Amino acid sequence: MQEVFYEESVTMHNEKPAKRRYTIFTVTAVLCFILAFVSFINLMWTPTATADGESLVGQASFTISLVVWGLLCVSMIVGGVFLIIKRHAFYLSYDYTFVSGELRISKVLHNRKRKLLYRLSDDKLIMIGRVDSETYKKLKASPDNKEDILTPNTEASDDREFFYIQAATNAGKRILIFECRPQLISTILRYTRRNILESEFNRR
């Protein structure tokens, strides 16, 4: 049997907010590392005694100073690493791949890290339709369904539309929102054994 393969990727239409957040996170991370270095220097140079051997500030004051600089150093390092990693999360894109009856959805962070979110065989697909349909509104209103938006955009590009797929996942029923060309939906429907298209889909 010939393998069926169809893939689409959706990227951000407007990258300005992502670039701004990326810059803010990068600058803040650098400041955190600078403060961590300053804290480390102060930690190493905290005096413990005077030249004649008598306590300079007392054991209690020394301990407090040591703890404060130590905590500040560690927290700045942790914060800087966190910001360096998270700065890539603002550049989001998604890949939708249909391979011989199986739909795979992946999230891509800044073209660096790919994470597989869903891997759905055709028997897991329950309903397919357009996001603005009455069926979609009813499904979304049901407490049994949770929505997962799989696009970084709030408006679809000229050659794409917002579609939904209701699917049975390991975490329960999900309404998966796609920004894709109609060809992806038609490909899924062509190779799915059941009629899962919403009733009003072709009324537009």
Side-chain angles (χ1 to χ4, degrees):
M1 182 178 178
Q2 185 178 4
E3 186 177 77
V4 178
F5 179 85
Y6 184 93
E7 184 176 34
E8 276 195 40
S9 296
V10 56
T11 58
M12 302 177 70
H13 302 334
N14 182 14
E15 292 188 351
K16 288 183 179 180
K19 289 180 179 178
R20 185 166 56 250
R21 295 188 184 100
Y22 179 87
T23 301
I24 292 172
F25 271 52
T26 302
V27 171
T28 307
V30 171
L31 292 176
C32 284
F33 290 133
I34 292 174
L35 287 173
F37 178 74
V38 173
S39 301
F40 179 77
I41 295 299
N42 279 278
L43 184 64
M44 293 295 99
W45 285 89
T46 299
T48 60
T50 61
D52 58 1
E54 294 181 1
S55 175
L56 180 65
V57 290
Q59 187 63 36
S61 297
F62 166 71
T63 302
I64 292 173
S65 178
L66 202 66
V67 170
V68 169
W69 287 117
L71 288 176
L72 184 60
C73 181
V74 171
S75 61
M76 288 298 101
I77 292 174
V78 172
V81 172
F82 173 80
L83 292 169
I84 287 293
I85 295 173
K86 287 296 291 182
R87 64 180 179 163
H88 297 293
F90 300 111
Y91 284 91
L92 277 178
S93 60
Y94 290 86
D95 290 339
Y96 317 133
T97 307
F98 186 78
V99 183
S100 294
E102 184 177 76
L103 179 63
R104 302 169 189 172
I105 305 105
S106 298
K107 179 169 67 174
V108 184
L109 301 178
H110 211 164
N111 295 321
R112 294 168 177 260
K113 183 179 180 181
R114 177 188 300 270
K115 180 181 180 181
L116 180 65
L117 300 178
Y118 295 100
R119 188 167 183 171
L120 304 169
S121 56
D122 63 349
D123 61 316
K124 299 294 185 181
L125 308 181
I126 302 172
M127 184 78 68
I128 292 179
R130 290 188 170 88
V131 166
D132 59 353
S133 69
E134 290 300 320
T135 301
Y136 163 74
K137 294 174 183 177
K138 292 177 181 178
L139 290 174
K140 186 177 179 179
S142 172
D144 295 334
N145 296 303
K146 291 186 178 181
E147 189 175 61
D148 194 356
I149 299 177
L150 304 172
T151 172
N153 304 308
T154 56
E155 294 184 6
S157 58
D158 294 339
D159 60 339
R160 301 173 189 239
E161 296 181 55
F162 288 126
F163 297 96
Y164 75 86
I165 295 179
Q166 183 192 26
T169 71
N170 294 333
K173 290 182 180 179
R174 291 288 186 271
I175 303 174
L176 310 178
I177 306 299
F178 296 80
E179 179 192 352
C180 64
R181 298 180 181 90
Q183 287 90 330
L184 174 61
I185 301 302
S186 61
T187 301
I188 295 173
L189 292 172
R190 189 179 304 123
Y191 295 99
T192 300
R193 294 187 298 271
R194 297 168 293 111
N195 181 17
I196 57 175
L197 191 65
E198 65 179 15
S199 58
E200 69 265 42
F201 188 85
N202 294 316
R203 293 177 187 173
R204 295 182 59 169

